[in-house]
Each structure stands twice: as C-alpha cells, then as structure tokens.
Amino acid sequence: MNSIEESLEDDTKCSISSGTMESQRPRAGNTPGSGRLSAIFLVINAALGAGLLNFPQAFDQAGGIVTAIAVQGVLILWIVGALLILAHCADKAGALTLQDVLQAACGQTGLITCSIIVALYCFGTCVTFLIIIGDQFDRVLLSVWGKDFCHLWYLDRSFTMTISSILFVLPLCYSKRIDFLRYVSSVGVVAVLYVVCLIAYKYWMGNFVPGPIKTAPNSWTDIFLVVPAICFGYQCHVSIIPIYSCLKHRTLHNFSIVCMFAIVFCVAAYTVAGVLGYLTFGSLVKSDILQSYGGENPFVLLGIGAIAIKSFTTYPLLLFCGREAISTVWCELFSASQTDIALTEFKRRVSIASIWFILTLLIAVVSPDIGIVIDVLGSLAAIFIFVFPGICLLQATLRSDPGLYLNKHRFLVLAAFVFIIVGTFVFGVVLTQAIERFADISKSHKQSLCE
C-alpha cells in the first residue's frame, strides 16, 4: 500500500496537472524520477536547438567574434543566475511550473500573465520548429530529386511537413510527465552535436571563400542584434521548473550540478558553431547556416536530417509547457473544484495538445523564414531570463524579511531590481529591432527552392 501511495505522489509531482499543486515543497529523497544524467539531457535539449543555425549570422550582425562572445559571456551569467533563482523560488513555494512560481510571487494576476506569455512563447517556438522541419525536407529533396520536386504533391513542403509531424511529433505530445521525453531528448542532443561537428569539419576541410569578417560593430547598438539569438538559444527557463520537479533527488545543489553541465555543453556547442560558421562564410553567411553549404554533400544532407530530428524531439517539450500554461488559465477561469480539475485532466490534455498541434502546423505551412521569428521570440525570452526571475526573487526576499534588516536581503532586493530593469530594457530594444527587421523583410519576396 505504501508503494502505491509513493507512486501516486511522484506521479502528481511530475505530471504537473494544473490546479493540483500542493502548497508545500516536494520532498527530496530517493524517490522515483529523473536521474541527474536524464535531467542534463532534458535541459540541453530544451536550450540547444534551432538557435544554433542562426548564431553565425548573429556574430556578423553583432560586429564580429570578439563582440559576440563578450555579449554571450555576460548573458550567460544572467541566464545561470536566473535558473538558480527560479529553482530557489520553486522550492520556497512548492511550485511545479514557472506559472506556479509567479502565482506564489504575484498571486492570480502573476499566474494568468505568466501562463499567457509562456503559451505565446512556446507556441511561437513550436511554429519555428515546424518551419525548420519543412526547410530541411526541401533541402534534401532539392538535392536528391531536383528543382521540380515541389511540383509533385507527395514531395510538396506542405505534405511532407504534415505527414512527418503527424508520425514523429504528434504521438509525443500527449505525455502526462515531462520526464517521459528524456529518451528522445538524448537523441536530439546527439543530432545537434553532429551539426556542430559538421560546421567544424567544413571549416577545416572546406574551400569556401568567406565574405568580409568584422572585427568591431558598425554602431554600439549592433551588440543588441546578437541578444535575440543568445536569449532564444539558451532559453530553457520555461521548462526548467517541470524538469526540476521531476529530479530524483530534488535539491538546489543537485540542480546546480545539472545546470552547470548542461550550460557548459551548450556554451561549447554554440560558440564552436558561431565562430567557425562565421569564419567559414563571413558576411555571406545565411540566417540558417546549413543553407550556406552545398546540399549535394552526403555529410551535409545528414546534418540537415539531424536538425529535423532535433526539431522532432524538442517540439513536444515546448508543447508540454505551453499545454500546461493554457490548462492553468482554463482551470482558473472555468473549473469549479479540484475534483472537476482532476476528472477532466485527460480530456483537457488531449484537447489542448491536438488543437495546439493543428494550429502550429497550419501557421508553419504559410510562414516565412525563421530569422524574424527568432528575433520576436528572443524578446520574449528576455522576459523569462530577466524579468520573471527578478520578480520572483524580489517577492521571495520580501516575504523572508519584510523590513530588510539583513544586508544579504538588501543585496538580493537590489539584484532583483537590476534583473527587472535590464530585462525590460533588453525586451524593448530587441522587440523594436525585430519590428524594424520585419518591415524590411516584408518588402522582399522569399524565393522558394523550386522557383
């Protein structure tokens, strides 16, 4: 009987059914859940993805390698600090999702606001992954079949994207627990690692003639052009609390080790791809670096397939977080009791996931390239990396010491305000640049690969 109760307790802890969160911290101990290695793969898979393709061009826009790496180094400190702040606040509040943490900090207003922003971010990111899947299919078919491939209905982008997503993505979208995705996450990490190795191999062995390589930004404001790519690339804050809640040994120390290994891996991958990709093509590099290589090379074709596999494995992770955010809002607005929430959980989970998948697929079929999408999502990522952790840290500190009698707590309040102010500034600048870029792109026509 005790084993059944422990199993049910753990399933509740990791399934994150909206409205069922206990008000006390989930106990640490030797309970079933994700091991340290599985958690590392989940964090890497959440952070390391589509942004990798855009890093070389972001290095060029920012004014060169030194500038971009310096900006990345500064932002990494904020990113890691934000992860630890969110985990600390989740422990204080017994929270199982990011929106639960905001609810503890700001009440129902924080819960609803955070849920909406999480849903928007995850929805946009899922659209991006489907666009990437379509792009990779087009690249492979162009190389294998020729320029007339899209004139055949069964090779058309809309058909290949739809069928592949239904077969490889949709079945993973209905999982109740986020740690169910730890196995496919390891596949996604290996796929991205291959792309990084491909970029390095092409730099050392290729005979590409690079365009001009910048050594300094044209304007000091250009340094903000790399911020969206970095924020989008390292943004795993939406899924970090669900991952933390499913840790086998849920302690801040254990979580710090997971974050350290995951972020170091991501920094190495992004830096190698950004530096060597930029040195290979210079200012001629495209927003998707794989488009800069010849598609006839079998190693490149394998890299294109690897990115598609990575997108297949990361989409369900983001859908999970977005689904729970929508479910939270739904329960807050329409559910009358905890019993009603529990009884309708399966129906709600399947319905939201199905509608989400259909809408993202429809938008991806008619969407442009990923550059502008990454810029907009990068501005939203700044909210998760800076603003939300700052708010949570501020409220948690004020609850512990309302009079701020301790110097430690005064420092934490100051740090919280710095997070909020910097995040608001970065969000405004990045969003403004994204709107300006969208205005420029909308004036030009994106040429299809079969035109």
Side-chain angles (χ1 to χ4, degrees):
M1 188 68 179
N2 289 338
S3 62
I4 296 177
E5 291 175 353
E6 290 177 359
S7 176
L8 289 174
E9 177 186 356
D10 178 69
D11 186 63
T12 301
K13 182 177 75 174
C14 296
S15 63
I16 316 175
S17 299
S18 301
T20 61
M21 184 189 76
E22 297 295 331
S23 60
Q24 52 186 297
R25 171 184 173 179
R27 64 183 179 87
N30 192 22
T31 59
S34 300
R36 187 178 292 171
L37 183 61
S38 297
I40 290 173
F41 275 117
L42 280 169
V43 175
I44 292 174
N45 196 40
L48 189 63
L52 181 82
L53 304 177
N54 190 242
F55 253 64
Q57 188 185 70
F59 273 41
D60 177 65
Q61 294 173 335
I65 294 173
V66 175
T67 303
I69 291 180
V71 174
Q72 178 182 231
V74 172
L75 288 177
I76 286 297
L77 298 177
W78 293 87
I79 289 167
V80 174
L83 292 175
L84 297 179
I85 288 172
L86 290 176
H88 170 73
C89 294
D91 280 345
K92 291 288 187 181
L96 304 177
T97 64
L98 180 61
Q99 50 267 32
D100 291 336
V101 177
L102 264 294
Q103 180 184 26
C106 305
Q108 295 304 102
T109 301
L111 174 68
I112 299 298
T113 302
C114 180
S115 298
I116 293 174
I117 296 177
V118 167
L120 288 175
Y121 177 83
C122 292
F123 188 87
T125 307
C126 287
V127 171
T128 301
F129 286 131
L130 293 181
I131 293 173
I132 291 172
I133 291 172
D135 288 344
Q136 309 321 308
F137 269 108
D138 284 355
R139 293 283 315 285
V140 172
L141 292 174
L142 175 64
S143 301
V144 174
W145 195 273
K147 293 184 177 180
D148 295 332
F149 73 92
C150 59
H151 296 153
L152 302 172
W153 65 270
Y154 53 87
L155 297 181
D156 182 77
R157 176 191 182 93
S158 301
F159 182 79
T160 56
M161 186 193 303
T162 301
I163 293 300
S164 63
S165 299
I166 291 175
L167 291 177
F168 302 116
V169 175
L170 188 59
L172 301 174
C173 293
Y174 300 109
S175 60
K176 187 177 181 180
R177 296 161 54 107
I178 197 170
D179 57 351
F180 169 78
L181 301 172
R182 62 183 180 270
Y183 303 110
V184 295
S185 293
S186 61
V187 176
V189 172
V190 172
V192 173
L193 189 59
Y194 173 81
V195 175
V196 175
C197 293
L198 174 66
I199 293 173
Y201 172 79
K202 283 295 184 179
Y203 170 73
W204 293 111
M205 304 299 294
N207 55 355
F208 301 98
V209 179
I213 296 178
K214 296 179 181 178
T215 57
N218 298 327
S219 170
W220 72 271
T221 57
D222 287 351
I223 63 175
F224 292 102
L225 294 175
V226 76
V227 172
I230 295 175
C231 289
F232 179 73
Y234 288 96
Q235 202 295 117
C236 54
H237 300 64
V238 172
S239 52
I240 203 66
I241 303 303
I243 294 172
Y244 181 38
S245 69
C246 286
L247 262 180
K248 187 175 182 179
H249 300 279
R250 177 174 170 168
T251 64
L252 197 58
H253 172 73
N254 197 32
F255 177 73
S256 300
I257 295 175
V258 169
C259 289
M260 180 188 69
F261 278 99
I263 295 300
V264 167
F265 186 95
C266 292
V267 169
Y270 280 128
T271 303
V272 170
V275 171
L276 299 185
Y278 181 51
L279 290 177
T280 302
F281 298 104
S283 60
L284 301 178
V285 68
K286 298 181 179 179
S287 61
D288 179 347
I289 187 171
L290 290 182
Q291 294 180 1
S292 299
Y293 300 114
E296 298 78 15
N297 189 298
F299 293 108
V300 175
L301 289 178
L302 190 58
I304 293 171
I307 287 297
I309 292 173
K310 178 63 177 67
S311 300
F312 286 138
T313 63
T314 308
Y315 181 105
L317 195 65
L318 271 298
L319 181 143
F320 180 94
C321 298
R323 186 191 74 202
E324 295 305 321
I326 294 176
S327 183
T328 297
V329 175
W330 180 270
C331 292
E332 288 297 319
L333 296 179
F334 301 107
S335 294
S337 64
Q338 295 295 322
T339 303
D340 180 48
I341 292 173
L343 291 176
T344 60
E345 187 276 330
F346 176 79
K347 180 179 179 181
R348 188 171 60 251
R349 170 160 45 98
V350 172
S351 300
I352 294 174
S354 299
I355 295 173
W356 180 290
F357 176 80
I358 293 172
L359 289 178
T360 55
L361 184 59
L362 290 175
I363 294 175
V365 168
V366 298
S367 290
D369 61 62
I370 65 172
I372 181 62
V373 181
I374 288 179
D375 283 351
V376 175
L377 293 177
S379 65
L380 287 178
I383 295 179
F384 300 121
I385 295 173
F386 296 99
V387 178
F388 283 169
I391 293 174
C392 294
L393 180 61
L394 176 64
Q395 294 298 326
T397 304
L398 291 178
R399 283 195 179 92
S400 299
D401 184 7
L404 297 179
Y405 298 111
L406 299 179
N407 290 331
K408 178 183 74 172
H409 291 153
R410 294 172 185 170
F411 172 78
L412 291 178
V413 168
L414 177 62
F417 276 114
V418 172
F419 262 90
I420 296 171
I421 294 171
V422 171
T424 303
F425 174 76
V426 171
F427 169 77
V429 172
V430 172
L431 183 61
T432 301
Q433 291 177 332
I435 294 173
E436 292 175 350
R437 184 178 176 188
F438 178 75
D440 294 336
I441 293 178
S442 62
K443 298 176 183 177
S444 60
H445 169 64
K446 182 190 176 184
Q447 188 175 28
S448 171
L449 288 179
C450 65
E451 290 180 349

